[in-house]
Amino acid sequence: MFQDRLQALLVPAVQQAFASLFNAEVAADRITFQSTRPEFEGDVTINVFPFLKQSGKGPEPTAQSIGEHLQANVEVVERFNVVKGFLNLVIADRYWLGFLQEAREKDILQFPISGKKVMVEYSSPNTNKPLHLGHLRNNFLGHSVSRILQAAGHEVIKAQVINDRGIHICKSMLAWQKFGRGETPESSGLKGDKLVGKYYVEFDKAFKREIEELVTTGKSKEAAEKEAPIILEAQDMLRKWEANDPEVRALWEKMNGWVYAGFNATYVRMGVEFDKLYYESQTYVLGKNDVLEGVKKGVFYEKDGAVWVDNTNEGLDEKVLLRSDGTSVYMTQDIGTAIKRFEEFPGLAQLIYVVGNEQDYHFKTLFTILRKLGFAWASELHHLSYGMVDLPSGKMKSREGTVVDADDLIEEMVGEARATGEQLSKLDAVSEQEKTELYEMVGLAALKYFLLKVDPKKQMLFDPAASIDMQGHTGPFIQYTYARTKSLLKKAQAEFPVPSSQLSDAHGQLTTDNHALLPEERTVIKLLHQFPAMLEEAAARLDPSALANHTYELVKAYNTFYQTVPVLKEEDGAKRNFRIGLSAATASATKRAMWCLGIDVPERM
RNA sequence: GGACUCGUAGCUCAAUUGGAUAGAGCACCUGACUACGGAUCAGGAGGUUGGGGGUUCGACUCCCUCCGAGUUCACCA
């Protein structure tokens, strides 16, 4: 379904073959290709089992006659063989070399401008505590998907919603007021988000103490949770906030300011950024009118003074959209902000929410509601739902103190990169400053790649001890291959400058019988050749993992090539030039693919 | 209880969305011109794809059922 250009060339030819051989029509999307398995000769394979009805023959004769037809009529099909119902095609070297030439001349991972505008919302933190491991998966996914969509030719708006109001931040504010003694990030040396998080914990402690006391006086636990003075005070503070009480607002602005400074430091280190910020304190009033409008249209209904939507026909439930006192719920503002965004960006083609799968139900409901309100764009809303990140000890629980802090984790990964680097790297002559930058790059690559190589929708396990690997299927492995290739290319440039126009005749005259490409070379070219289709797929599925895995396959194949085939040591100039060109194409595709994942690659390490 | 996800080598993950003998990495063993950079490469061992049934020329993939894990179903956010 995501065809590369060779497949695009072959599909019509196969259709033609069916027409002239069997007088039968075959739909293009039913003709699927796969890479030929390494144990057979060939480059691409067509499975003919699905077409036996059309051909009226058995698998082997069908495959045989299609093979003959393709060989006779398609220039690049050089030979074929048939194994059971599988038709293996050998594609001429000429074709692969032509492609490589192109990959040298232009970026194969940048598609033409589509003119489509897409918004990706990710991160969406609460302002009462620091970012943690879950946010890292969210941010890396959102950032990578944004870049993938950009590479696919779209204009992308990266948006962050900041949940800056509500009872959670009031809890931190109140605890700071009571126990903080004027502590600030400056006076404590704590990052702003850490400081505010500390008072959120303080609140919880005090709250629990009060509950316990009330329980000893004979109250039930439920009653105590509702009556504890400190929670009543926090609720009162929230009311004051809503009434625009100047003192509360000033404190709120001050503490949120600390948090933003802290978040920004983390975002900078993570290497993610946003084009557009939405603050919940400004958007939480939205949606009410849209809901009332829906009541008029008869899409929603009133019951006991509240507004409801009935989604039972869609396999969902009934849901309150406005309480009987007329106030909003969370869903209300999500309805409002979605509508506002499409007003703000009239050409918006897609809106993607990167949010964990615990909100699957919420988004199903939201999208259903917007469809019912009649918005044409409702079909272009996507929930990029990702699974939880578990720890070996189980779930992250803030109450049990098992939350993995984002800053701490990055620090740990960078430290590990430094430890490994100091043992292995060949950078003795390099400045301390440059080394620090390098280890930062490597540590983050390890972390990002680890989180991105897994299918987003799947729940995954993060073992801090095992995850800091720098070997094998990891980000640093890809970086290492890139750096080594760049080093090779630098030498090549000094010793044997290669005009790219010479690449195509690197193997001399290429006839259909001339199999000059070595298997190691051929494998690398084929992986490069598949790259654009992988990007297309990643963009369509909003899934960086396929791209991440393919990048690994590519550098792995390149390493095999590098290890077994001489490049600079090759004495035949044409072959040497060709291999230098292959290396250059691999390096630039690797760099570009890693960019799509939000990962930097070093020139040396 | 209803709804949705998921279960693949000891561990962490793949498998072109129904195709050939289910592939990688880690860990474990054995090797590699005194390296075009060894954070590499070559090889070995490791599987009844949670169990059972069904559909199909063909099932890790689709259907049924059982077992196990997670999430979710507030006039919370």
Side-chain angles (χ1 to χ4, degrees):
Chain A
M1 64 188 293
F2 294 94
Q3 293 180 352
D4 60 41
R5 35 193 275 174
L6 177 61
Q7 294 172 359
L9 185 97
L10 290 173
V11 165
V14 173
Q15 286 178 303
Q16 229 174 53
F18 271 98
S20 71
L21 292 170
F22 310 116
N23 198 20
E25 274 186 43
V26 173
D29 59 5
R30 291 193 54 215
I31 304 171
T32 57
F33 296 85
Q34 49 190 309
S35 309
T36 305
R37 305 203 124 216
E39 56 267 36
F40 304 108
E41 192 203 22
D43 296 307
V44 288
T45 295
I46 303 168
N47 183 347
V48 301
F49 273 108
F51 310 118
L52 299 185
K53 277 190 203 107
Q54 280 87 340
S55 74
K57 294 185 184 173
E60 283 89 355
T62 304
Q64 182 69 29
S65 38
I66 293 171
E68 282 164 11
H69 190 274
L70 291 177
Q71 186 176 15
N73 293 291
V74 183
E75 229 195 316
V76 298
V77 176
E78 184 163 305
R79 276 179 299 177
F80 70 93
N81 62 81
V82 173
V83 181
K84 294 195 262 179
F86 295 90
L87 171 58
N88 302 320
L89 303 176
V90 178
I91 303 302
D93 284 0
R94 189 173 63 253
Y95 174 82
W96 301 118
L97 291 168
F99 166 75
L100 184 64
Q101 175 74 4
E102 229 178 280
R104 286 284 288 122
E105 284 163 4
K106 64 167 213 207
D107 185 352
I108 57 170
L109 294 181
Q110 178 60 60
F111 296 172
I113 303 301
S114 70
K116 277 173 71 178
K117 198 182 289 176
V118 179
M119 181 180 283
V120 181
E121 176 198 307
Y122 62 97
S123 201
S124 311
N126 288 352
T127 58
N128 62 320
K129 51 190 169 193
L131 303 176
H132 56 70
L133 178 54
H135 291 111
L136 292 179
R137 190 177 198 190
N138 180 303
N139 273 270
F140 295 154
L141 269 173
H143 189 242
S144 172
V145 163
S146 302
R147 289 207 166 163
I148 286 168
L149 292 169
Q150 264 177 270
H154 310 315
E155 183 188 335
V156 177
I157 304 153
K158 288 168 286 187
Q160 178 180 203
V161 175
I162 300 164
N163 299 307
D164 61 343
R165 56 129 241 147
I167 191 71
H168 54 85
I169 181 69
C170 286
K171 289 178 180 177
S172 289
M173 285 156 61
L174 183 63
W176 183 83
Q177 240 177 10
K178 283 181 174 303
F179 319 118
R181 297 177 190 178
E183 191 176 34
T184 66
E186 292 75 27
S187 74
S188 63
L190 277 176
K191 240 173 122 246
D193 52 334
K194 296 286 188 331
L195 181 67
V196 173
K198 174 178 150 188
Y199 286 100
Y200 188 72
V201 174
E202 288 301 321
F203 175 91
D204 203 52
K205 280 188 203 159
F207 183 36
K208 278 192 182 128
R209 272 197 306 271
E210 291 185 0
I211 291 172
E212 253 173 66
E213 272 170 42
L214 287 173
V215 169
T216 55
T217 65
K219 291 244 188 246
S220 74
K221 200 172 174 213
E222 292 75 33
E225 280 170 0
K226 282 184 188 157
E227 291 170 27
I230 197 165
I231 190 72
L232 296 177
E233 233 181 307
Q235 284 159 355
D236 187 49
M237 196 179 236
L238 182 59
R239 274 188 290 274
K240 282 184 180 160
W241 182 90
E242 283 173 0
N244 264 314
D245 178 284
E247 247 178 80
V248 171
R249 285 281 176 151
L251 177 62
W252 173 73
E253 301 225 351
K254 175 161 76 177
M255 291 184 71
N256 271 340
W258 293 345
V259 172
Y260 299 149
F263 282 174
N264 285 339
T266 307
Y267 287 142
V268 166
R269 200 164 187 202
M270 286 163 66
V272 305
E273 68 286 317
F274 303 93
D275 306 308
K276 177 90 193 159
L277 302 181
Y278 292 95
Y279 294 91
E280 201 204 344
S281 55
Q282 288 158 20
T283 61
Y284 83 111
V285 291
L286 296 174
K288 201 171 162 175
N289 289 335
D290 303 301
V291 170
L292 294 173
E293 200 63 33
V295 176
K296 275 190 208 156
K297 283 189 200 162
V299 180
F300 308 136
Y301 65 92
E302 289 178 86
K303 188 172 75 183
D304 306 327
V307 176
W308 293 74
V309 61
D310 182 358
N311 288 337
T312 47
N313 285 338
E314 286 78 15
L316 303 165
D317 295 302
E318 293 174 287
K319 170 85 192 163
V320 169
L321 301 178
L322 285 176
R323 299 191 189 97
S324 46
D325 64 3
T327 55
S328 295
V329 294
Y330 190 67
M331 188 66 77
T332 320
Q333 62 164 302
D334 265 9
I335 295 168
T337 47
I339 293 170
K340 189 187 167 198
R341 288 179 193 179
F342 279 90
E343 285 168 359
E344 214 176 339
F345 299 96
L348 202 60
Q350 269 191 334
L351 173 53
I352 296 158
Y353 298 87
V354 183
V355 178
N357 64 9
E358 72 269 17
Q359 297 205 38
D360 283 355
Y361 179 81
H362 174 79
F363 282 102
K364 271 187 198 164
T365 305
L366 175 64
F367 297 169
T368 302
I369 289 169
L370 290 165
R371 214 174 298 129
K372 286 185 170 179
L373 283 171
F375 294 105
W377 43 258
S379 57
E380 293 306 325
L381 299 168
H382 300 276
H383 175 204
L384 201 181
S385 163
Y386 61 90
M388 310 253 101
V389 185
D390 285 333
L391 301 171
S393 55
K395 263 195 81 168
M396 283 202 294
K397 287 238 166 79
S398 50
R399 293 192 177 162
E400 288 157 30
T402 55
V403 174
V404 176
D405 179 79
D407 295 317
D408 293 351
L409 182 56
I410 292 172
E411 192 58 35
E412 197 185 335
M413 299 298 282
V414 170
E416 191 60 29
R418 176 175 287 275
T420 309
E422 270 161 13
Q423 278 194 319
L424 299 174
S425 104
K426 288 96 200 153
L427 299 183
D428 299 333
V430 161
S431 75
E432 202 46 46
Q433 158 90 13
E434 199 177 321
K435 280 185 188 173
T436 301
E437 282 166 17
L438 173 69
Y439 298 140
E440 190 78 17
M441 199 191 280
V442 174
L444 273 161
L447 185 55
K448 288 184 184 180
Y449 193 86
F450 186 89
L451 292 172
L452 286 174
K453 74 174 178 185
V454 180
D455 184 343
K457 68 173 186 285
K458 285 197 175 175
Q459 181 179 131
M460 67 180 294
L461 189 114
F462 187 87
D463 183 342
S467 305
I468 51 184
D469 254 322
M470 309 272 153
Q471 273 142 17
H473 189 178
T474 65
F477 173 91
I478 297 170
Q479 289 178 317
Y480 171 77
T481 306
Y482 177 80
R484 194 172 62 175
T485 309
K486 289 302 277 191
S487 162
L488 180 87
L489 290 170
K490 247 174 262 163
K491 266 190 197 167
Q493 201 168 16
E495 295 173 36
F496 319 101
V498 190
S500 77
S501 61
Q502 285 182 10
L503 287 170
S504 51
D505 28 74
H507 284 256
Q509 285 291 70
L510 290 164
T511 70
T512 49
D513 297 321
N514 180 2
H515 285 277
L517 280 178
L518 299 172
E520 290 85 358
E521 297 167 335
R522 206 180 183 82
T523 304
V524 174
I525 297 178
K526 283 197 274 184
L527 286 163
L528 283 171
H529 180 266
Q530 288 169 348
F531 234 142
M534 297 302 302
L535 173 62
E536 193 187 344
E537 183 176 344
R541 298 208 174 120
L542 307 177
D543 176 9
S545 71
L547 202 64
N549 286 304
H550 190 80
T551 309
Y552 171 70
E553 294 299 328
L554 174 70
V555 301
K556 201 162 114 83
Y558 180 81
N559 278 338
T560 300
F561 158 80
Y562 177 92
Q563 204 85 15
T564 49
V565 180
V567 179
L568 300 182
K569 285 182 176 172
E570 171 60 52
E571 300 198 347
D572 179 327
K575 284 184 182 169
R576 187 176 59 225
N577 284 353
F578 165 74
R579 288 171 195 163
I580 293 169
L582 178 62
S583 302
T586 304
S588 52
T590 301
K591 182 174 188 169
R592 179 67 180 169
M594 291 294 266
W595 180 87
C596 288
L597 299 175
I599 302 176
D600 292 325
V601 288
E603 297 299 301
R604 47 186 180 166
M605 69 188 275

